[in-house]
Amino acid sequence: MKTNNSSIPIGILAIAVLLAGALYLVMRHPSPARAANQKIYESIPTEAGKKNFLTQSANLSLAVDPELVDLDSQIASCDANMDGMTNGSGMSGSCIDSGIIDLSKVKGKYMGGQCCSALKDTADYHDNLKKLQAYKDMPDIVLDPMHTPVEIARKWIEYDKRTTLTLTEQKIFDEAYAISKEKPCCCKCWHYYVNEGIAKKMIKDGTFSAQQIADYWDASDICGS
């Protein structure tokens, strides 16, 4: 019995045509998940947040935890000049986006995190939120650094600028710096100076040890994954 070899290339050609047709339909009619992600992407106010969302969604193909979407929608900036946040002049972007943040698009938002990389797992974030509750009795303490009110951030940055520690107090600060994994922050952005100001206040109040300050800094990590 002879085998009809001519049918083999025809079959392959038919499969190729079907795959091309399917790809065409996908391109013309994106999946519901991709369409939904596109809308979310367009709603995020900063380019840094958009880039984080693209990473978390595998380029819009996967669903993203709504909590991560909320974090993406906050203000990611490495700029320590908070004046721009209150006089309308804008701020520079984060480590993953050097553009200027348009404040008209971020009204009602908080200073956020993910300055260096996109957060993909919120487990450590939730764990840190629990740890930060140990400091809740301190006035104006930041208990959710991923949602830091602009005015509170500015307050602590200004406190940091105008507060000088004594030699004895500086030793406590230096000890905290030495034992902390995160330090005030991974880079000298707005969050670094907020945490430096908070530490100075803790030392001036005399109620927090170097270890407690270091623990606060470590639980305040906002860099991302």
Side-chain angles (χ1 to χ4, degrees):
M1 181 175 180
K2 295 182 180 180
T3 302
N4 186 2
N5 292 327
S6 63
S7 64
I8 296 176
I10 293 174
I12 293 175
L13 179 61
I15 293 172
V17 170
L18 288 173
L19 289 174
L23 180 61
Y24 173 80
L25 290 174
V26 169
M27 295 297 291
R28 288 291 302 273
H29 303 285
S31 68
R34 182 173 288 274
N37 278 342
Q38 183 65 39
K39 289 183 179 179
I40 294 172
Y41 173 83
E42 292 172 357
S43 72
I44 295 173
T46 68
E47 290 305 312
K50 283 180 165 66
K51 288 180 180 179
N52 284 332
F53 183 74
L54 286 177
T55 298
Q56 294 157 347
S57 65
N59 201 28
L60 304 182
S61 63
L62 301 176
V64 177
D65 183 342
E67 185 174 25
L68 288 177
V69 175
D70 174 68
L71 294 178
D72 294 341
S73 300
Q74 307 311 318
I75 305 168
S77 174
C78 288
D79 198 339
N81 179 16
M82 298 305 296
D83 290 339
M85 294 302 301
T86 53
N87 65 20
S89 63
M91 291 182 75
S92 64
S94 73
C95 299
I96 62 170
D97 175 51
S98 59
I100 299 298
I101 295 170
D102 182 355
L103 297 181
S104 67
K105 297 181 179 179
V106 292
K107 290 180 179 179
K109 300 296 182 181
Y110 298 91
M111 298 303 297
Q114 307 181 84
C115 298
C116 301
S117 61
L119 187 67
K120 296 181 181 179
D121 187 347
T122 60
D124 287 343
Y125 170 56
H126 289 161
D127 186 48
N128 284 339
L129 291 180
K130 292 178 182 178
K131 292 176 181 177
L132 290 173
Q133 284 298 309
Y135 304 84
K136 64 183 179 181
D137 292 334
M138 181 177 172
D140 286 336
I141 190 72
V142 180
L143 298 178
D144 183 355
M146 293 279 198
H147 292 87
T148 302
V150 173
E151 287 299 333
I152 293 298
R154 183 174 183 176
K155 170 189 173 176
W156 287 118
I157 290 173
E158 290 301 316
Y159 183 87
D160 179 47
K161 288 179 181 178
R162 67 174 185 264
T163 303
T164 301
L165 300 177
T166 66
L167 290 177
T168 300
E169 292 168 342
Q170 187 64 46
K171 288 181 180 179
I172 299 173
F173 184 96
D174 292 344
E175 182 183 350
Y177 198 94
I179 61 180
S180 170
K181 295 178 181 178
E182 289 294 325
K183 315 305 180 189
C185 194
C186 57
C187 62
K188 291 193 174 182
C189 61
W190 67 270
H191 185 244
Y192 182 99
Y193 296 106
V194 165
N195 272 1
E196 192 167 75
I198 289 173
K200 286 182 177 180
K201 177 63 173 172
M202 289 176 169
I203 294 169
K204 289 291 184 183
D205 285 352
T207 54
F208 294 92
S209 66
Q211 185 63 62
Q212 288 174 311
I213 294 169
D215 290 343
Y216 178 82
W217 285 345
D218 290 344
S220 295
D221 176 27
I222 67 166
C223 292
S225 59

